[in-house]
Amino acid sequence: MGNASDATAAFTSTISKEYDVVMGALYIVYCVLSLLGNCVLLLVAHHKRSSLKPPEFFIINLSISDLGMTLSLFPLAIPSAFSHKWLFGELACQLYAMCGVLFGLCSLTNLTALSFVCCLKVCFPNHGKKQPTSNLQMSKPAHFISCFLSGNKFSWAHARLLVAGVWCYASIFAVGPLAQWGRYSTEPYGTACCIDWHAPNHELSALSYIVCLFVFCYALPCTIIFLSYSSILLTVRGSRQAVQQHVSPQTKNASAHSLIVKLSVAVCIGFLVAWTPYAGVAMWSAFSDATRVPPSAFATAAVFAKSSTVYNPAVYLLCKPNFRQCLYRDTLTLRQRIYRSGPQLGSARQHNKDASVSTRISNGQMDTFEACLRCVDNPARCHVTAAQRTACVLTGSVHREVTLGQLASTQLADFL
């Protein structure tokens, strides 16, 4: 009975009902936008798969991890927030927390790998090119590493290897608490689950897990990202200064890698802004008295963290030209297919076509056409060379078509 009551208390929200409702509403918005954005991004990447570059493979992997977080977290977090308690039991809580850690760390590690690859391509494009040892004399591992460290030789094999390493790296820390290295539990606000941030206050293994998590999954990746993009910005700045001295203003163009660098920096900044509040609150709870950390601080930090699933696809779909052009082309194609498949729209289009034909006839284009047809039967009537305006005259129940020149002046005035 004691364990049951403790579990019930742990799964009960510790923040106000209004706060939970606001969180649930925000999670619904995040879920819809994330599903739409990431699915569209993956669809666009599939359509332009033949022209994708190896660094863009990390964008696809980032979208997959964001989509995994969306599908595994929001369907459980939304009803729990509106119910003011965790609804799905202990086992679901463990799986929820593991998925959150796995996909969150995968996204951060993926961004770290992307920053490293961008640094190689911009700062070391020809590294190893002037090595005295030929490729035939080098061993396969040495040749693979040499090609990997050369930005221009970064291939799909290197990208796949790095992506596999990203998932393995994230999986180590995600499976750790299930193997008793650290522990998963409910969040301090009660309607979601994550790492037990209170455990380091009284468990040494939990404290070592938190320390390793902070060092290898936050501090180290952030350092690599900062150093990579600092090197890129310095290299690009030096290249532009050299270009400005030797190239005319009409031919000054940005570096070929400047766009992917700007987009990657934007995504990294967005990701760090989203996850830094949660990391700060978690460290506050782990290395001080956890009871002094208000549950609302964890709830607010969690809202920021989950917003990263929306930010990433929006940046690439709206700011990357080749993705944006492909999205526009696919949208236009879909609209044309819907337009052609609709029977009512098709009949409306035919009606508009008929109206345009009748307009051309009333302007006299049909007269010339009919005259040309009459020339076959009666060549003497081929003197008609100019278009004639015609009118239909109704006399009793009989109507006849005459040219405007054949109408009497009074009839012509009445007609006009």
Side-chain angles (χ1 to χ4, degrees):
M1 292 293 292
N3 293 335
S5 61
D6 292 342
T8 302
F11 291 149
T12 303
S13 177
T14 57
I15 58 178
S16 65
K17 179 69 174 178
E18 292 76 13
Y19 207 135
D20 275 330
V21 171
V22 172
M23 287 182 61
L26 287 176
Y27 285 167
I28 290 176
V29 175
Y30 290 170
C31 184
V32 173
L33 294 179
S34 178
L35 285 174
L36 181 63
N38 287 292
C39 288
V40 170
L41 181 60
L42 292 176
L43 182 63
V44 169
H46 174 71
H47 286 174
K48 67 182 296 291
R49 59 189 180 276
S50 59
S51 59
L52 286 176
K53 300 176 180 62
E56 292 176 333
F57 193 47
F58 295 98
I59 301 174
I60 299 173
N61 189 51
L62 182 64
S63 182
I64 291 174
S65 63
D66 287 341
L67 194 60
M69 181 179 290
T70 300
L71 295 176
S72 61
L73 301 190
F74 287 124
L76 303 182
I78 291 172
S80 296
F82 283 113
S83 300
H84 203 50
K85 63 180 179 180
W86 176 256
L87 298 175
F88 302 98
E90 180 66 27
L91 179 59
C93 179
Q94 297 288 315
L95 294 177
Y96 178 98
M98 186 197 71
C99 291
V101 173
L102 174 64
F103 293 120
L105 292 183
C106 181
S107 296
L108 179 57
T109 312
N110 188 84
L111 291 174
T112 306
L114 179 59
S115 67
F116 180 68
V117 170
C118 288
C119 182
L120 288 178
K121 292 186 71 65
V122 176
C123 302
F124 308 100
N126 299 314
H127 178 76
K129 185 176 181 181
K130 297 181 180 180
Q131 293 290 338
T133 306
S134 64
N135 292 339
L136 296 177
Q137 295 174 341
M138 297 173 63
S139 62
K140 288 185 178 180
H143 175 59
F144 186 85
I145 294 174
S146 176
C147 292
F148 177 80
L149 293 177
S150 177
N152 288 337
K153 295 182 180 179
F154 188 81
S155 64
W156 280 103
H158 300 129
R160 293 188 183 98
L161 181 65
L162 269 182
V163 167
V166 164
W167 284 98
C168 292
Y169 191 84
S171 298
I172 293 174
F173 291 93
V175 176
L178 300 180
Q180 304 305 315
W181 184 40
R183 192 169 65 182
Y184 288 137
S185 182
T186 55
E187 292 270 22
Y189 54 90
T191 57
C193 300
C194 194
I195 299 168
D196 189 351
W197 303 110
H198 295 175
N201 295 151
H202 50 81
E203 291 183 12
L204 185 59
S205 63
L207 180 61
S208 66
Y209 175 76
I210 297 299
V211 170
C212 292
L213 188 70
F214 179 77
V215 172
F216 295 104
C217 297
Y218 186 78
L220 182 61
C222 291
T223 301
I224 294 175
I225 289 173
F226 176 77
L227 292 178
S228 297
Y229 287 119
S230 297
S231 301
I232 289 171
L233 293 177
L234 291 175
T235 302
V236 171
R237 181 180 179 183
S239 300
R240 286 180 177 175
Q241 290 177 351
V243 167
Q244 288 175 359
Q245 295 177 358
H246 300 90
V247 184
S248 61
Q250 290 78 10
T251 58
K252 291 178 182 177
N253 295 320
S255 171
H257 307 292
S258 61
L259 180 61
I260 188 67
V261 169
K262 292 177 182 178
L263 292 177
S264 302
V265 170
V267 170
C268 289
I269 291 176
F271 188 90
L272 294 178
V273 168
W275 281 98
T276 297
Y278 193 90
V281 173
M283 293 303 102
W284 179 17
S285 177
F287 295 104
S288 66
D289 187 1
T291 59
R292 295 183 178 180
V293 182
S296 59
F298 272 99
T300 304
V303 170
F304 272 95
K306 290 181 174 62
S307 67
S308 63
T309 60
V310 179
Y311 180 79
N312 297 331
V315 169
Y316 283 104
L317 285 175
L318 298 178
C319 301
K320 201 169 191 309
N322 56 348
F323 277 61
R324 188 172 64 248
Q325 292 171 2
C326 187
L327 176 63
Y328 175 77
R329 185 172 61 251
D330 292 343
T331 305
L332 185 61
T333 302
L334 180 62
R335 289 175 57 188
Q336 290 176 349
R337 289 180 179 178
I338 295 175
Y339 182 72
R340 292 172 182 172
S341 62
Q344 296 179 352
L345 293 176
S347 61
R349 184 172 68 251
Q350 183 64 33
H351 175 73
N352 292 336
K353 181 179 178 181
D354 295 341
S356 64
V357 172
S358 63
T359 302
R360 289 195 301 268
I361 292 175
S362 66
N363 287 335
Q365 300 297 325
M366 189 61 183
D367 290 345
T368 305
F369 178 68
E370 288 180 352
C372 293
L373 290 179
R374 295 189 190 107
C375 289
V376 177
D377 300 331
N378 190 1
R381 303 182 64 178
C382 287
H383 62 278
V384 180
T385 57
Q388 299 291 327
R389 294 181 181 269
T390 61
C392 185
V393 179
L394 180 64
T395 304
S397 60
V398 180
H399 65 85
R400 57 192 180 90
E401 186 177 3
V402 298
T403 63
L404 295 183
Q406 295 174 342
L407 290 175
S409 59
T410 56
Q411 291 178 328
L412 182 59
D414 293 339
F415 176 78
L416 296 176

